[in-house]
């Protein structure tokens, strides 16, 4: 069902001015067309693997479904390459009886790139979605020392990144630091959708009492996805955007950025972090 990595020859430029030819490992990037009831909904560039989780997470964070009970099934369609082999790049999901189909605001007018899941929205007014699982009242508390350990715990599960250097990662931890799910993908939003999709499939939405740790920056979109799943805390190794902080504050979510080494910035919801 697709390869995670591919090997390509490169000309390596050495520090001493010499060159040499050697193979290099690249992360795979392929399109996935998501259909609902046979109707095309979105195309995203992703790293193959965990596609059903990706579909569950995407539909949850777009407000199409609220739990796994809202889906009746998922199957790959017969999308073939030049050699007649199934590419496993078209996934069709069926909604459960009585679940309303996606409205036009969810549809993408353009391809969704691996770096942006909001690009191509039919209407920017639809970007701020209303969650069925508000994290505002979540009683999560996490110790400062455990919070500081989460980037290293995430890094332990970035196996493909170790060989390619070209993947984002996301992981969901419980209040004791136990790993619930970890996924890698060329797209940061896809990695989060795969993790949250796993929670949907496991019946763990709303994801109360959890911390979502991401390897890159905390964008508005990632905060929105976490809010839609009821995640009370999002932590990132890099910076948040101003709109991400605003949304986290409005939603009652704890947002932590620049979490690396022994330091970090708490932008919202500091009361959930036990400082001593």
């Amino acid at each position: 069902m697709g390869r995670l990595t591919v090997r390509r020859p490169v000309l390596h430029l050495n520090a001493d001015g010499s060159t040499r030819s050697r193979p290099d490992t690249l992360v795979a990037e392929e399109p996935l067309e998501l259909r609902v009831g046979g109707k095309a909904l979105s195309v995203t560039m992703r790293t193959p693997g965990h596609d059903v989780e990706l579909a569950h997470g995407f539909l949850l964070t777009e407000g199409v479904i609220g739990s796994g009970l809202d889906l009746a099934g998922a199957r790959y369609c017969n999308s073939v390459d030049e050699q007649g082999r199934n590419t496993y790049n078209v996934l069709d999901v069926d909604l459960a009886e009585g679940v309303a189909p996606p409205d036009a605001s969810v549809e993408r007018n353009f391809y969704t790139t691996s770096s942006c899941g909001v690009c191509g929205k039919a209407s920017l007014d639809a970007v701020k979605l209303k969650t069925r699982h508000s994290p505002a009242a979540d009683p999560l508390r996490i110790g400062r020392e455990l919070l500081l350990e989460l980037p290293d715990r995430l890094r332990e599960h970035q196996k493909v990144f170790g060989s390619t250097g070209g993947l984002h990662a996301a992981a969901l931890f419980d209040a004791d630091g136990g790993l619930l799910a970890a996924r890698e993908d060329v797209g940061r939003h896809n990695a989060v959708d795969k993790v949250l999709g796993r929670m949907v499939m496991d019946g763990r939405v709303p994801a109360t009492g959890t911390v979502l740790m991401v390897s890159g920056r905390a964008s508005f979109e990632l905060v929105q996805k976490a809010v839609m799943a009821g995640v009370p805390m999002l932590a990132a190794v890099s910076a948040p955007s101003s709109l991400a902080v605003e949304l986290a504050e409005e939603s009652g979510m704890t947002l932590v950025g620049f979490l690396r080494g022994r330091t970090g910035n708490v932008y919202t919801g500091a009361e959930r972090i036990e400082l001593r």
Side-chain angles (χ1 to χ4, degrees), residues 214-251:
V214 297
S215 62
R217 61 186 177 87
S219 65
F220 168 85
E221 183 196 19
L222 296 194
V223 171
Q224 176 183 277
K225 288 181 178 295
V227 169
M228 293 296 287
V231 175
M233 184 179 295
L234 171 63
V237 300
S238 192
S241 68
S242 62
L243 197 57
V245 175
E246 290 177 21
L247 179 60
E249 187 170 48
E250 291 174 5
S251 305

Side-chain angles (χ1 to χ4, degrees), residues 29 44-47 54 61 112-119 154 158 166-171 183-196 212-223 225-226 234 236-241:
E29 182 177 26
T44 187
M45 301 304 296
R46 98 303 189 194
T47 301
L54 174 59
T61 59
T112 302
T113 70
S114 56
S115 61
C116 177
V118 171
C119 305
L154 172 63
Q158 293 182 253
L167 279 175
H168 294 282
R183 298 291 183 263
E184 293 180 284
D185 198 278
V186 70
R188 62 172 63 87
H189 59 285
N190 290 335
V192 170
D193 277 343
K194 288 178 178 181
V195 166
L196 298 182
L212 180 63
M213 182 74 221
V214 297
S215 62
R217 61 186 177 87
S219 65
F220 168 85
E221 183 196 19
L222 296 194
V223 171
K225 288 181 178 295
L234 171 63
V237 300
S238 192
S241 68

Side-chain angles (χ1 to χ4, degrees), residues 41 55-56 68 83 99-100 141 145 153 157 191 195 199 211 248 256 270 275-276:
L41 179 68
H56 279 70
Q83 286 75 43
V99 177
R141 295 294 183 274
E145 290 302 312
R153 297 192 183 193
H157 298 280
V195 166
M199 294 300 99
V211 181
V256 182
L275 300 179
R276 297 183 181 180

Side-chain angles (χ1 to χ4, degrees), residues 105-166:
S105 67
V106 179
E107 296 179 6
R108 267 50 172 170
N109 292 331
F110 309 102
Y111 282 96
T112 302
T113 70
S114 56
S115 61
C116 177
V118 171
C119 305
K121 278 279 194 180
S123 171
L124 288 178
D125 292 337
V127 170
K128 279 193 174 182
L129 301 175
K130 292 183 178 179
T131 180
R132 309 181 199 183
H133 310 296
S134 172
D138 196 299
L140 170 73
R141 295 294 183 274
I142 185 172
R144 171 177 177 163
E145 290 302 312
L146 177 56
L147 179 64
L148 293 172
E149 291 175 7
L150 294 186
D152 288 338
R153 297 192 183 193
L154 172 63
R155 184 68 179 84
E156 291 172 1
H157 298 280
Q158 293 182 253
K159 293 181 171 53
V160 182
F161 176 85
S163 61
T164 65

